[in-house]
Amino acid sequence: MHYIWPLTGTRVVDDLELEQLYRYPADPKWLAVNYVSSADGAVEIDGRSAGLSNPADRQVYQLGSDLADVVLLGAGTATIEVFRGVHPDEKTAERRRRHGLSEIPPIAVVTTGRSLPPDAPVITEAAVPTLVLTCSAAPKSIRDAWTAAGAEVVVAGTDTVDVAGAVDHLVKRGLGRIDCEGGPRLFGSLLAAGMVDELRLTVSPLLVSGAADRIAVGAGIEPAALELTSLLAEGNTLLLRYLVKQ
């Protein structure tokens, strides 16, 4: 992987330097959103992101959760991608020990209740209890079923999930380094609430066309300016990190 920006001359980046680039700052709350998209903006092929990914993307994607306190994602993404939570190998376990992190980061899933069945692998196969961030409109029966399946249910909001309140809840319990792994509607909601600090975007060297989603979908916001903080290249793949200027 080669370092392109800031301009210090193109050079190879080793694993430790890559880890330093993608570590979270010491702020009480830092929410980084991780995405891979095609060059024409698609975030899926046949409904999933796997077809866009490649070894370079997977390397930085892994760092997102390895260095986080918690992994945040929408229920649709959790079910479509068949997310099973974090199950660290020895490299991840060693990295987390070195950074003073818990052994396994919990998963926090945002849902209004309709899109997260109690038997979803993100709940039943997670190594530590999954946090289900929902709203009071979610039927009590489904909330009880999530709890019975092993999840911890957190109510934030009434008719819809108050994502700012949900993030505040994570921060208050010491889970302030937040790795958001989609989907587009959750990203759009977080942007509207002013909760996003950083965008980590892999541009995959593919053209997809079609009707695939873009990385953020929602009611729309005033355009948020971005500040490029690093640009890496691996073959034809670009890996960008932007700060979101609030």
Side-chain angles (χ1 to χ4, degrees), residues 10-246:
T10 301
R11 56 186 173 81
V12 175
V13 177
D14 62 23
D15 287 351
L16 284 178
E17 186 173 3
L18 190 65
E19 186 177 298
Q20 291 304 309
L21 276 175
Y22 280 83
R23 70 182 298 182
Y24 295 76
D27 302 52
K29 190 275 289 183
W30 192 265
L31 195 154
V33 176
N34 274 282
Y35 257 110
V36 58
S37 81
S38 66
D40 58 341
V43 295
E44 61 187 35
I45 296 176
D46 296 329
R48 300 186 64 182
S49 63
L52 294 167
S53 191
N54 55 40
D57 172 62
R58 287 190 286 274
Q59 189 173 2
V60 298
Y61 178 85
Q62 182 76 40
L63 286 169
S65 59
D66 280 2
L67 299 174
D69 293 315
V70 62
V71 177
L72 177 68
L73 66 164
T77 296
T79 54
I80 291 169
E81 302 287 347
V82 197
F83 201 83
R84 293 179 167 87
V86 176
H87 297 267
D89 57 17
E90 183 49 43
K91 182 176 181 180
T92 289
E94 185 277 331
R95 179 179 280 151
R96 291 184 66 81
R97 284 194 296 269
R98 192 156 30 85
H99 286 269
L101 296 164
S102 64
E103 182 179 354
I104 301 171
I107 309 304
V109 183
V110 177
T111 179
T112 57
R114 294 182 293 273
S115 54
L116 185 66
D119 62 353
V122 72
I123 294 177
T124 60
E125 298 184 30
V128 295
T130 293
L131 303 172
V132 177
L133 308 175
T134 190
C135 56
S136 57
K140 184 178 184 301
S141 58
I142 189 69
R143 284 186 268 156
D144 289 344
W146 290 328
T147 301
E152 179 181 344
V153 177
V154 176
V155 175
T158 51
D159 295 328
T160 60
V161 180
D162 173 8
V163 292
V167 168
D168 287 345
H169 174 86
L170 296 176
V171 173
K172 287 175 182 175
R173 62 190 297 165
L175 304 175
R177 287 166 287 198
I178 303 170
D179 170 37
C180 179
E181 298 185 357
R185 284 156 188 78
L186 176 58
F187 186 16
S189 296
L190 291 166
L191 283 172
M195 291 287 107
V196 181
D197 300 292
E198 181 181 351
L199 170 62
R200 300 172 176 183
L201 177 64
T202 297
V203 180
S204 183
L206 294 170
L207 293 172
V208 174
S209 190
D213 271 341
R214 53 196 285 185
I215 66 172
V217 175
I221 60 170
E222 287 295 318
L226 300 176
E227 177 185 344
L228 181 65
T229 58
S230 70
L231 169 59
L232 304 174
E234 178 68 29
N236 296 312
T237 300
L238 298 178
L239 304 109
L240 305 100
R241 290 175 52 247
Y242 287 107
L243 298 184
V244 179
K245 300 175 74 172
Q246 305 291 352

